[in-house]
């Protein structure tokens, strides 16, 4: 083998997805690459020219500039560039320039497309479009690891029977794993064992659990399927199945778990909410939302489906609270409309959400009527907080008198924000453009929404300020080390997938909706509508939607992992928790968002 080809092959073995190729195929691909030495300052390609291959950096660094000359990425060893053009129409859509002397490997376009067509690992890596199809809620095809939603509860063999009973009572479980000091499973004890082998036989409660446990129980690994659990439970007539990883106890699956998982759906939760008579009954239902999130993410549902179903639950809670408030306070003196803004307004709630809401009142409302709506707002807001939708830190709630006003006052608000777009007006307008009716007289909002969109879109100064406001949240791109992580505090070395991830795209979607007078509120719906209306180009719209999909789904997968580990969902992800593959694509998605921000900031809709 030629020395250059051998050197390239050795290098490719350290680069994903080439490391997935068989050795003979890898050798053939290595021979297809050409090597090029590039002096610092050299433009490797310029936007609009045909791309003839995929570039892979062997050494040095390359900067990627958008159409406005704004730096969006600085790439180093093992990074690729040019694939977006090759996956599209063969044209460069950015500028690539060496920032220092670089050695580039170039794979011809024909060979690149052959690898894409022949090897799924290449297609997955270079094509950011949406992947797996949603799965139905079928336990038989889901992995056992998806069922393990809490840390394993275990005891040592010398633990007394009485102590075991207390552990099970306090943890609310019906079985325990009995393990050695190193976590190796040696037995299982259940509430039935305590009843049959201890109480019924009048054994000493101080006896060690090893005397009543089932030793050497049958187990399954986390990689087993739900069908394996069902078959084993039926064959052995058991209701508790320990899960082990190389003999180490990692969790327990019970018949109750299977029943709960099979029955859990947004429809079931909404049914239970609709039938609740007290706030604490609804709170018990909403505490099941993290498990629903886990199930939806595990089922490969698109993020907009998952967040829509979770938001539907918040809507149902709100409407039930409104009905309960009216039952307690009596009929409202005039028609009213409860609206949500923020993530609930956009139907984008995840496993962690606060409340953002307001009240619009019929213009016939009198000063004497306001006490009713003050009490109604307090009832609903307190109920939402009790159900896990915590009070808004910025007091953007109907309990704030500023956000409980007649329609005429709301019209004044919007006119004032449009004609005097100071920083507070920009912030408030951004929030209020996401309003969505939840309960009450929806007609109170229809005209004001149409009027506001028309007036706002015609005011170029206001639009410019809204564009500027939309650029305040930027993707966490570090020029040197991949990601710009949080530098200090509780979330040091993490990235905020909400404020630095989905919010920049939500802000762009809001601007596009304003420019096109589009009534959609959901971010993905706004991007689709803006693309269809020509506010952004087909290529720009497609790229931004794919980037948004990746960021939003990464956020949900992170939250699901937190739930599966027994924690609470949050938005803070350590890039080190991702694989090289995942980091590469997440960074690519952030680059797309940054590029689109640059385009809108320069008065251009999107990349052409």
């Amino acid at each position: 083998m030629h020395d250059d080809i051998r050197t390239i092959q050795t290098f490719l073995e350290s680069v994903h997805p080439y490391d997935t190729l068989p050795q003979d195929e890898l050798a053939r691909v290595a021979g297809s690459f050409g090597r090029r030495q590039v002096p610092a300052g050299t433009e490797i390609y310029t936007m609009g020219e045909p791309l003839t291959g995929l570039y892979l950096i062997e050494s040095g660094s390359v900067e990627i500039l958008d159409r406005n000359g704004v730096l969006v990425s600085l790439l180093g060893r093992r990074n690729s560039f040019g694939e977006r053009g090759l996956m599209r129409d063969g044209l460069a859509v950015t500028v690539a320039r060496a920032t220092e002397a670089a050695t580039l490997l170039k794979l011809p376009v024909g060979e690149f497309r052959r690898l894409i067509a022949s090897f799924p690992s290449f297609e997955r890596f270079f094509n950011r479009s949406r992947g797996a199809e949603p799965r139905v809620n079928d336990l038989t095809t889901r992995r056992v690891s998806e069922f393990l939603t809490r840390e394993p509860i275990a005891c040592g063999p010398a633990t007394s029977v009485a102590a075991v009973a207390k552990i099970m009572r306090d943890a609310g479980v019906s079985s325990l794993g009995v393990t050695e000091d190193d976590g190796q499973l040696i037995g299982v004890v259940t509430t039935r064992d305590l009843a049959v082998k201890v109480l019924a036989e009048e054994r000493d409660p101080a006896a060690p659990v090893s005397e009543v446990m089932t030793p050497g129980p049958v187990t399954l690994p986390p990689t087993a399927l739900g069908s394996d659990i069902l078959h084993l439970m039926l064959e052995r007539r058991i209701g508790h199945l320990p899960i082990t990883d190389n003999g180490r106890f990692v969790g327990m699956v019970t018949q109750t778990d299977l029943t709960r998982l099979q029955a859990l759906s947004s429809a079931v939760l909404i049914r239970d909410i609709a039938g609740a008579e007290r706030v604490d009954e609804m709170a018990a239902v909403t505490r099941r939302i993290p498990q629903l999130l886990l199930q939806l993410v595990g089922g490969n549902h698109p993020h907009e489906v998952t967040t829509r179903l979770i938001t539907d639950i918040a809507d149902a809670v709100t409407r039930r609270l409104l009905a309960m408030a009216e039952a307690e306070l009596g009929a409202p003196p005039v028609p009213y409309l409860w609206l949500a803004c923020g993530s609930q307004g956009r139907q984008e709630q995840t496993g962690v959400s606060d409340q953002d809401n307001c009240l619009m009142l019929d213009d016939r409302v009198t000063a004497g009527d306001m006490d009713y709506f003050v009490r109604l707002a307090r009832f609903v807001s307190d109920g939402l907080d009790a159900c896990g939708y915590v009070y808004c830190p910025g007091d953007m709630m109907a309990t704030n008198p500023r956000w409980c006003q007649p329609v005429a006052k709301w019209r004044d608000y919007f006119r004032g924000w449009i004609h005097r777009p100071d920083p507070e007006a920009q912030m408030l307008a951004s929030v209020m453009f996401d309003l969505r009716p939840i309960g009450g007289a929806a007609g109170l909002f229809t005209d004001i929404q149409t009027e506001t969109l028309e007036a706002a879109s015609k005011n170029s100064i206001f639009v410019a300020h809204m564009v500027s406001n939309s650029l305040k949240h930027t993707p966490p791109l570090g020029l040197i080390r991949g990601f710009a992580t949080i530098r200090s505090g509780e979330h040091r070395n993490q990235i905020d997938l909400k404020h630095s991830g989905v919010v920049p795209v939500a802000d762009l979607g809001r601007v596009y909706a304003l420019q096109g007078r589009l009534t959609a509120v959901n971010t993905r719906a706004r991007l689709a509508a803006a693309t269809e209306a020509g506010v952004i180009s087909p290529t720009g719209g497609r790229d931004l939607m794919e980037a948004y999909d990746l960021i939003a789904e990464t956020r949900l997968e992170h939250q699901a992992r937190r739930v599966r580990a027994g924690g609470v969902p949050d938005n803070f992800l350590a890039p080190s928790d991702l694989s090289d593959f995942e980091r590469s694509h997440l960074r690519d998605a952030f680059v797309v968002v940054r590029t689109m921000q640059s385009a809108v900031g320069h008065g251009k809709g999107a990349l052409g």
Side-chain angles (χ1 to χ4, degrees):
M1 182 185 296
H2 193 281
D3 286 345
D4 279 351
I5 296 177
R6 184 178 292 106
T7 301
I8 292 173
Q9 180 174 344
T10 299
F11 175 63
L12 293 179
E13 289 173 346
S14 69
V15 180
H16 191 73
Y18 303 95
D19 58 351
T20 65
L21 295 175
Q23 281 297 308
D24 57 343
E25 180 67 25
L26 185 63
R28 202 185 77 77
V29 172
S32 300
F33 273 96
R35 182 182 274 123
R36 176 183 173 190
Q37 304 295 332
V38 178
T42 302
E43 282 201 356
I44 300 154
Y45 63 66
T46 302
M47 183 169 52
E49 70 179 35
L51 283 167
T52 56
L54 174 75
Y55 292 90
L56 175 62
I57 303 174
E58 189 175 12
S59 66
S61 62
V62 174
E63 62 181 2
I64 305 297
L65 311 175
D66 69 8
R67 66 189 302 172
N68 302 302
V70 175
L71 179 64
V72 295
S73 187
L74 184 62
L75 306 178
R77 179 175 166 85
R78 295 191 181 88
N79 291 145
S80 299
F81 59 96
E83 68 271 18
R84 281 183 62 212
L86 298 179
M87 297 296 292
R88 295 287 190 259
D89 54 12
L91 296 178
V93 292
T94 52
V95 174
R97 182 167 55 211
T99 57
E100 60 181 77
T103 302
L104 305 180
L105 302 178
K106 184 178 180 183
L107 185 68
V109 62
E111 183 66 6
F112 171 75
R113 289 177 175 157
R114 185 190 71 81
L115 290 171
I116 291 288
S118 304
F119 295 93
S121 58
F122 275 78
E123 199 281 332
R124 285 194 303 269
F125 187 84
F126 288 108
N127 190 348
R128 285 193 300 265
S129 62
R130 312 182 83 158
E133 290 297 317
R135 298 199 300 263
V136 296
N137 184 21
D138 184 359
L139 288 174
T140 62
T141 60
R142 296 177 63 187
R143 294 199 179 277
V144 171
S145 57
E146 296 177 27
F147 304 160
L148 303 179
T149 58
R150 64 158 74 195
E151 290 297 314
I153 301 176
C155 65
T159 307
S160 71
V161 169
V164 166
K166 291 177 181 177
I167 293 172
M168 294 169 71
R169 178 200 64 190
D170 294 344
V173 297
S174 58
S175 58
L176 288 182
V178 182
T179 61
E180 299 284 11
D181 292 341
D182 60 359
Q184 293 291 304
L185 183 75
I186 60 173
V188 168
V189 60
T190 68
T191 51
R192 187 174 186 276
D193 292 327
L194 298 182
V196 173
K197 298 178 182 179
V198 181
L199 291 177
E201 298 182 6
E202 297 183 350
R203 287 198 181 192
D204 183 358
V209 72
S210 58
E211 294 183 5
V212 298
M213 72 181 186
T214 300
V218 63
T219 69
L220 282 176
T223 53
L225 299 179
S227 58
D228 299 323
I229 296 178
L230 293 170
H231 295 163
L232 204 51
M233 284 184 170
L234 290 170
E235 289 176 10
R236 300 295 183 95
R237 296 184 179 180
I238 55 177
H240 303 80
L241 187 63
I243 308 301
T244 59
D245 187 0
N246 293 321
R248 187 175 58 85
F249 181 54
V250 296
M252 187 83 72
V253 178
T254 69
Q255 287 181 341
T256 302
D257 292 331
L258 299 183
T259 301
R260 172 178 51 80
L261 287 165
Q262 191 75 320
L264 185 62
S265 71
S266 60
V268 169
L269 268 60
I270 289 173
R271 179 203 65 193
D272 292 347
I273 288 165
E277 296 295 334
R278 302 190 313 273
V279 172
D280 63 336
E281 292 176 357
M282 283 195 290
V285 177
T286 57
R287 282 196 291 271
R288 293 150 61 190
I289 290 176
Q291 295 304 317
L292 176 64
L293 170 71
L294 188 62
Q295 181 168 299
L296 292 170
V297 173
N300 289 331
H301 292 279
H303 66 90
E304 70 271 21
V305 171
T306 297
T307 55
R308 167 63 185 272
L309 293 176
I310 291 175
T311 305
D312 285 348
I313 297 168
D315 292 354
V317 170
T318 305
R319 285 190 287 267
R320 183 68 188 120
L321 287 168
L322 287 169
M324 293 167 69
E326 288 189 22
E328 180 173 309
L329 302 174
V334 296
Y336 71 87
L337 177 61
W338 185 282
L339 302 101
C341 44
S343 60
Q344 185 182 1
R346 297 192 305 272
Q347 296 180 300
E348 293 167 6
Q349 286 191 318
T350 64
V352 51
S353 295
D354 58 5
Q355 56 175 288
D356 299 278
N357 45 62
C358 64
L359 271 170
M360 287 187 180
L361 311 177
D362 187 282
D363 284 334
R364 291 170 294 175
V365 68
T366 66
D369 296 331
M370 292 306 296
D371 180 64
Y372 177 94
F373 293 108
V374 168
R375 288 190 290 159
L376 179 137
R378 176 53 59 192
F379 186 100
V380 176
S381 185
D382 287 349
L384 287 170
D385 181 71
C387 290
Y389 305 100
V390 299
Y391 300 119
C392 174
D395 203 20
M396 187 69 68
M397 297 182 294
T399 51
N400 183 338
R402 190 179 186 186
W403 311 127
C404 179
Q405 294 289 339
V407 170
K409 184 65 175 178
W410 280 100
R411 279 195 165 91
D412 289 342
Y413 283 160
F414 279 105
R415 290 192 191 106
W417 295 334
I418 292 169
H419 294 295
R420 295 180 299 278
D422 58 32
E424 184 191 36
Q426 295 169 40
M427 183 274 292
L428 294 174
S430 294
V431 173
M432 294 305 175
F433 273 120
D434 292 348
L435 284 174
R436 182 173 61 88
I438 303 298
L444 295 177
F445 181 61
T446 303
D447 291 342
I448 194 171
Q449 182 188 37
T450 303
E451 294 167 9
T452 300
L453 279 173
E454 182 175 0
S457 63
K458 289 179 178 178
N459 190 315
S460 58
I461 295 176
F462 175 76
V463 172
H465 280 284
M466 287 292 288
V467 168
S468 175
N469 190 65
S470 74
L471 304 180
K472 291 180 179 178
H473 295 101
T474 58
L477 286 170
L479 295 180
I480 304 299
R481 301 180 64 183
F483 294 100
T485 58
I486 298 169
R487 295 184 179 181
S488 61
E490 178 185 0
H491 301 295
R492 185 173 179 269
N493 296 327
Q494 297 175 327
I495 55 177
D496 184 342
L497 288 173
K498 177 181 178 180
H499 291 102
S500 299
V502 297
V503 167
V505 187
D507 290 342
L508 285 172
R510 191 179 301 110
V511 168
Y512 298 146
L514 174 61
Q515 292 173 333
R517 302 182 194 176
L518 308 171
T519 57
V521 177
N522 174 266
T523 297
R524 202 173 196 281
R526 280 172 165 169
L527 299 181
T531 303
E532 183 177 351
V535 177
I536 48 179
S537 71
T539 300
R542 183 173 58 232
D543 282 350
L544 187 55
M545 276 193 282
E546 289 182 5
Y548 179 55
D549 291 340
L550 187 81
I551 296 166
E553 283 163 9
T554 299
R555 180 191 183 197
L556 288 176
E557 288 162 2
H558 164 72
Q559 292 189 3
R561 283 194 297 270
R562 294 269 303 173
V563 173
R564 190 176 295 115
V568 296
D570 69 15
N571 295 303
F572 298 96
L573 171 72
S576 58
D577 290 342
L578 300 176
S579 66
D580 288 344
F581 172 86
E582 292 167 325
R583 283 197 299 272
S584 174
H585 281 286
L586 183 60
R587 193 176 193 283
D588 284 347
F590 287 145
V591 167
V592 170
V593 176
R594 182 67 189 90
T595 301
M596 298 296 281
Q597 285 183 322
S598 176
V600 77
H602 283 80
K604 301 166 185 175
L607 294 175

